[in-house]
Amino acid sequence: MTPHVSRDELLRRLKALRDEASKSGCDLVYIANATSIFYFTNLYFIQTERPLALLVPLDSDPMIIAPSVEKGHIEYRNKAFGGVVNEVVYYFDYPGETSFVELAANVIASQLGAKCVMGDLQSGAQPLYGYRGVSLADVLKSRGLRWLDLGDFVYGLRLRKSDEELKLIEESGRWAARALEVALQVTRPGMWDWEVMLDASRQVLMEMNNFYKPYTPLKEPVGPVVGFRGQVGEFSAFPHALFSERPIREGDVLGVGSGPEIGGYYAELERTFVVGAPNNDIRRLFEYMLRLRKAAIEAAAPGVEVSKIDAAVREEAKRLGVTDLLRHHVGHGIGVEIHEPPYLDIGYRARLEPGMVFTIEPGIYVPGVGGFRHSDTFVVTREGVRQLTRFPEDLDELVVRP
Amino acid sequence: MTPHVSRDELLRRLKALRDEASKSGCDLVYIANATSIFYFTNLYFIQTERPLALLVPLDSDPMIIAPSVEKGHIEYRNKAFGGVVNEVVYYFDYPGETSFVELAANVIASQLGAKCVMGDLQSGAQPLYGYRGVSLADVLKSRGLRWLDLGDFVYGLRLRKSDEELKLIEESGRWAARALEVALQVTRPGMWDWEVMLDASRQVLMEMNNFYKPYTPLKEPVGPVVGFRGQVGEFSAFPHALFSERPIREGDVLGVGSGPEIGGYYAELERTFVVGAPNNDIRRLFEYMLRLRKAAIEAAAPGVEVSKIDAAVREEAKRLGVTDLLRHHVGHGIGVEIHEPPYLDIGYRARLEPGMVFTIEPGIYVPGVGGFRHSDTFVVTREGVRQLTRFPEDLDELVVRP
């Protein structure tokens, strides 16, 4: 089975959460965000109209309120992945005869006898997946309970990664490197990007499965591990392209990435490939991208303002005359989500601290030609930054030989 | 290229939106929900920390405010897919030097001169993807503009599908049937569920690609079209399983589904397969599932209360003595999202109306044995309900022959 954070680490996280509530005189924490529930329990659930919440009383084990579609599944996964949830209250389905929020209020007030709840979502359930109903904060207030907002406390906890987390991210990075290696071998002119994705993914997933016996991501069903997303030739000039209208051709710039989920964590590794001998234009743009990347890596160090990294890249871009070709900031935090704080952006107000993990991926994008971007994942240490993903960076090692 | 709804249909939707705003004396509609933006423009964007909004003034063309990561991409897709967006205002990235919400307020108040804004998200940007900042409603109010909540108006529009929408859903259903046919042929004992997914998907995607020249989903990169999600043997007893810990074996109950995106729309087609000759227990449970399904289909007709369909299934389950094996309501609406209103649930207060599209998928789940569920997509017509997905339903046609 794939590794994941230990029960001890989950218990430390829960203690931090309880301490925060306790400081404000609250006796229960209410968590509705799916990623946060995962962060405290190693349990993840497919998001639909049916809400799900984690209750963390100060003096007893965490409890989950869940739709019966998760019956058996929660108990099974709780046992397999850390076992911090001791009780589950099931409701049949949404909208049901009693609203989820009324049920949650009953459990909190009557069953658990809480007087003050600190929570991450006033409404009690995420409306984005279809849930509509009364607000939990309102229902609790009407029953004489206090509601306090947890704000971004969980994001704060997630910001500095532990050694256990770093190991998972680094392991994701190792498989990502293997995936790009296979993608480079598999790619041929005439193929569609999704053929490369499916063929390379099949091969690497088999290797991962044989290694872990079996490979079991915690948050997602097993899916492709090579991402291509239509970054083919002129379409790669759109950093968030979704498809290309044509197969891969000789001369194309390709954007390929990977970062398989390991125990709920991700690294990000992306490379710019070129199909066949690169022309001089491509060589020059590729070289500019490498220089921007170097500027970013050199600017990153513990204690440095995060915004300075993005500023350093903009300065280098100005020097090279490619400011107009930038399309996004230098990078983003990564961990249990693929994008999370800190954002390596000129407007992000914080300093780099040991344990922060983020991508460095300045890119330049030339309409009609293509996009040039490598992405690697780094962690801030006491001494500097450490690169968690490794793969060749030079153009000559990233050529698809037709 | 894959079909999609026409420019005329987008214009009708925009008119309905403007009419709604106009009724309240507002002169601009603000849409931040990604699926809603798609619904009005045929444009979809990868969700990250970077917000994106659609502005629909009463008397001029829709405008988009977007991060520069979408530069060129929006113009390209707008031209390809309906062309209702006439102007794009780009900001560099998040958090940036000026907040997105301040920028949006400037465009609304100064550039477009609006006095009253009707919107779908008070905060102006979805916090779920990392955005943090001042609320748009507050900023507008501080500048003397009115803010009115659009509420669930867009969900209401989406509830009754047009002929164009039905065609796309039905087309998704046809490819889904082909995908299950291939999955049935490809599956062999000893394979992992994800091998079936990748192998069957590769074959069907190639057929789709040859048919559409090329296949281009509008909302997602091209990805697997066969869903398996660990619904293997005893793991299929978890309706929302994410993985199984073992390969497929003779005697297993398997849950397989498909519903590829066509022009942003989905059908849902799921079948219960059995590997090798089914034993009597499996035959009996399969038969019960078919009876629940029949009860649901017979209860569905225009004018009927939605809750009655779920009630009919519960009644039939009671008669068969399988109430304890139910884990979820009968089905969910489907269209531009895989789950959307109406929910076929005992607590859902509305009547079936012509144009509503939903799945019928009552299931029974036996711990240690497996899950039994077929899902098909139906539309309500004036006369009754019409099935939009077709695939064999009887056990003997769903046996994987090792």
Side-chain angles (χ1 to χ4, degrees):
Chain A
M1 188 173 281
T2 327
H4 47 81
V5 302
S6 68
R7 180 179 153 84
D8 282 352
E9 174 133 348
L10 297 178
L11 292 175
R12 278 193 293 274
R13 294 173 183 177
L14 287 164
K15 183 177 182 313
L17 197 60
R18 287 176 170 126
D19 287 351
E20 177 70 10
S22 170
K23 268 196 274 176
S24 312
C26 278
D27 41 17
L28 187 134
V29 187
Y30 182 93
I31 303 283
N33 178 288
T35 310
S36 297
I37 295 176
F38 172 76
Y39 183 75
F40 291 110
T41 65
N42 274 351
L43 299 174
Y44 196 81
F45 308 97
I46 296 177
Q47 301 299 297
T48 67
E49 67 275 17
R50 309 163 175 117
L52 206 140
L54 173 69
L55 309 186
V56 185
L58 291 202
D59 302 314
S60 55
D61 287 339
M63 172 190 284
I64 277 181
I65 308 180
S68 69
V69 76
E70 299 294 358
K71 219 176 235 181
H73 191 212
I74 295 183
E75 291 78 0
Y76 174 82
R77 288 167 59 97
N78 185 56
K79 203 171 157 189
F81 300 135
V84 297
V85 172
N86 205 34
E87 196 182 340
V88 190
V89 174
Y90 290 103
Y91 67 95
F92 187 67
D93 213 324
Y94 170 81
E97 285 166 305
T98 315
S99 96
F100 169 79
V101 156
E102 292 285 352
L103 170 65
N106 285 343
V107 172
I108 291 167
S110 311
Q111 188 174 339
L112 298 172
K115 304 281 179 235
C116 172
V117 177
M118 194 166 220
D120 69 345
L121 195 63
Q122 279 192 37
S123 57
Q126 180 52 254
L128 198 63
Y129 306 106
Y131 182 82
R132 296 292 180 274
V134 289
S135 141
L136 179 64
D138 290 346
V139 174
L140 292 177
K141 280 175 196 165
S142 76
R143 295 190 182 197
L145 277 77
R146 278 206 301 155
W147 170 273
L148 291 179
D149 228 72
L150 192 57
D152 277 342
F153 180 75
V154 183
Y155 264 130
L157 280 186
R158 279 167 46 187
L159 206 50
R160 293 177 68 145
K161 269 68 175 176
S162 70
D163 287 347
E164 287 194 22
E165 292 177 292
L166 292 175
K167 266 187 204 160
L168 298 174
I169 295 169
E170 214 165 352
E171 199 151 325
S172 167
R174 277 197 294 274
W175 287 112
R178 175 63 186 147
L180 290 206
E181 188 175 41
V182 173
L184 196 54
Q185 290 160 2
V186 160
T187 306
R188 290 284 170 278
M191 286 176 91
W192 288 79
D193 58 336
W194 50 266
E195 288 184 83
V196 174
M197 171 188 84
L198 293 174
D199 291 355
S201 293
R202 197 186 199 297
Q203 184 172 333
V204 177
L205 278 172
M206 192 55 86
E207 293 176 15
M208 293 176 74
N209 205 52
N210 289 337
F211 182 85
Y212 292 118
K213 299 182 192 299
Y215 168 59
T216 50
L218 263 62
K219 297 205 320 259
E220 300 168 13
V222 180
V225 297
V226 172
F228 220 115
R229 228 177 49 207
Q231 308 264 328
V232 173
E234 65 276 24
F235 293 91
S236 68
F238 308 143
H240 280 188
L242 292 170
F243 59 83
S244 64
E245 287 185 13
R246 61 168 183 78
I248 295 163
R249 290 195 298 242
E250 203 161 334
D252 275 346
V253 177
L254 308 177
V256 186
S258 181
E261 196 217 290
I262 301 290
Y265 285 78
Y266 310 91
E268 182 172 288
L269 173 64
E270 296 177 345
R271 285 294 179 269
T272 302
F273 292 173
V274 177
V275 186
N279 64 28
N280 286 340
D281 260 9
I282 286 179
R283 287 204 174 272
R284 186 175 44 88
L285 294 163
F286 198 99
E287 184 57 33
Y288 288 168
M289 179 270 285
L290 288 181
R291 285 203 217 168
L292 298 180
R293 175 181 159 82
K294 191 158 172 266
I297 296 171
E298 286 177 359
V304 164
E305 278 176 33
V306 175
S307 61
K308 291 280 160 61
I309 305 172
D310 200 26
V313 168
R314 290 175 190 230
E315 214 169 286
E316 180 72 6
K318 206 171 159 189
R319 206 170 299 135
L320 298 169
V322 296
T323 300
D324 291 353
L325 307 180
L326 300 177
R327 292 285 179 274
H328 54 76
H329 51 213
V330 164
H332 50 82
I334 185 165
V336 286
E337 287 180 295
I338 292 168
H339 284 228
E340 61 180 44
Y343 302 108
L344 273 59
D345 183 278
I346 201 159
Y348 192 82
R349 301 276 158 261
R351 286 177 188 277
L352 289 183
E353 292 174 48
M356 282 184 178
V357 173
F358 47 78
T359 65
I360 288 185
E361 50 172 322
I364 53 178
Y365 302 89
V366 187
V369 176
F372 298 80
R373 176 179 75 243
H374 289 354
S375 180
D376 281 286
T377 305
F378 293 81
V379 59
V380 183
T381 65
R382 279 159 191 255
E383 298 77 33
V385 293
R386 185 161 69 87
Q387 192 167 336
L388 299 174
T389 46
R390 293 280 174 187
F391 197 74
E393 298 167 20
D394 293 340
L395 179 50
D396 291 331
E397 296 180 84
L398 299 172
V399 171
V400 172
R401 318 237 167 235
Chain B
M1 190 173 278
T2 326
H4 47 80
V5 302
S6 67
R7 179 179 153 86
D8 282 353
E9 174 132 348
L10 297 178
L11 293 175
R12 278 193 293 273
R13 294 173 184 177
L14 287 164
K15 182 178 183 312
L17 197 59
R18 288 174 170 127
D19 287 351
E20 178 69 10
S22 171
K23 268 197 274 177
S24 311
C26 279
D27 42 17
L28 187 135
V29 188
Y30 182 92
I31 303 283
N33 178 288
T35 309
S36 298
I37 295 176
F38 173 76
Y39 182 74
F40 291 110
T41 64
N42 273 351
L43 299 174
Y44 196 81
F45 309 96
I46 296 177
Q47 301 300 297
T48 68
E49 66 275 17
R50 310 162 174 117
L52 206 139
L54 173 69
L55 309 186
V56 186
L58 291 202
D59 302 313
S60 55
D61 287 339
M63 173 191 282
I64 277 181
I65 308 180
S68 68
V69 76
E70 299 294 358
K71 220 175 236 182
H73 191 214
I74 295 183
E75 291 78 0
Y76 174 81
R77 287 167 60 96
N78 185 57
K79 203 171 157 191
F81 299 135
V84 296
V85 172
N86 205 32
E87 196 184 338
V88 190
V89 174
Y90 289 104
Y91 66 96
F92 188 68
D93 212 325
Y94 171 81
E97 285 166 306
T98 315
S99 97
F100 168 79
V101 156
E102 292 285 354
L103 170 65
N106 285 343
V107 173
I108 292 167
S110 310
Q111 186 173 339
L112 298 173
K115 303 280 179 236
C116 172
V117 176
M118 193 167 221
D120 69 345
L121 195 64
Q122 278 193 37
S123 58
Q126 179 53 256
L128 199 62
Y129 305 106
Y131 182 83
R132 295 292 180 275
V134 290
S135 141
L136 178 64
D138 289 346
V139 173
L140 292 177
K141 280 177 196 165
S142 76
R143 296 190 181 198
L145 277 76
R146 278 207 303 155
W147 170 272
L148 290 179
D149 227 72
L150 192 57
D152 276 343
F153 180 75
V154 183
Y155 263 129
L157 280 186
R158 281 168 44 188
L159 205 51
R160 292 177 70 144
K161 269 68 176 177
S162 69
D163 288 346
E164 287 194 22
E165 293 178 290
L166 292 175
K167 266 185 205 161
L168 298 175
I169 295 169
E170 214 165 352
E171 198 152 323
S172 167
R174 276 197 295 274
W175 286 113
R178 174 63 186 147
L180 290 206
E181 188 176 42
V182 173
L184 196 54
Q185 289 160 3
V186 159
T187 306
R188 289 285 171 276
M191 285 176 92
W192 288 79
D193 58 336
W194 50 266
E195 288 184 82
V196 173
M197 171 188 83
L198 293 174
D199 291 355
S201 293
R202 197 186 199 298
Q203 184 172 333
V204 177
L205 278 172
M206 192 55 84
E207 293 176 15
M208 293 176 75
N209 205 54
N210 290 338
F211 182 85
Y212 292 118
K213 298 183 191 300
Y215 168 58
T216 51
L218 263 62
K219 298 206 320 258
E220 300 168 12
V222 180
V225 297
V226 171
F228 219 115
R229 225 177 54 207
Q231 307 264 329
V232 173
E234 64 276 23
F235 294 92
S236 68
F238 308 142
H240 280 188
L242 292 170
F243 60 82
S244 64
E245 286 184 14
R246 61 167 183 78
I248 295 163
R249 289 196 299 241
E250 203 163 332
D252 275 346
V253 177
L254 308 176
V256 186
S258 181
E261 196 217 288
I262 301 290
Y265 285 78
Y266 310 91
E268 182 172 289
L269 173 65
E270 297 177 344
R271 285 294 180 269
T272 303
F273 292 173
V274 177
V275 187
N279 65 28
N280 286 340
D281 260 10
I282 287 179
R283 287 203 174 272
R284 185 175 45 87
L285 294 163
F286 198 100
E287 185 57 32
Y288 288 168
M289 179 269 285
L290 288 182
R291 287 203 215 168
L292 299 179
R293 175 181 159 82
K294 192 159 170 266
I297 295 170
E298 285 177 359
V304 164
E305 279 175 31
V306 176
S307 62
K308 291 279 159 66
I309 305 173
D310 200 26
V313 168
R314 288 175 191 231
E315 213 170 286
E316 180 71 7
K318 205 171 158 189
R319 207 171 298 136
L320 298 169
V322 296
T323 300
D324 290 353
L325 306 180
L326 300 177
R327 293 285 180 274
H328 55 76
H329 51 213
V330 164
H332 50 82
I334 184 165
V336 285
E337 287 180 296
I338 293 170
H339 284 228
E340 61 180 43
Y343 302 108
L344 272 60
D345 183 279
I346 201 159
Y348 192 81
R349 302 276 158 259
R351 286 177 189 276
L352 290 184
E353 292 173 47
M356 284 183 175
V357 173
F358 46 77
T359 66
I360 288 185
E361 50 173 321
I364 54 178
Y365 302 89
V366 187
V369 175
F372 299 80
R373 176 180 74 245
H374 288 354
S375 180
D376 281 285
T377 305
F378 292 81
V379 59
V380 183
T381 65
R382 278 157 192 258
E383 299 78 33
V385 293
R386 185 162 68 87
Q387 192 167 336
L388 299 174
T389 48
R390 294 279 173 188
F391 197 75
E393 298 167 20
D394 293 340
L395 179 50
D396 291 332
E397 295 179 84
L398 298 172
V399 170
V400 173
R401 317 236 168 237

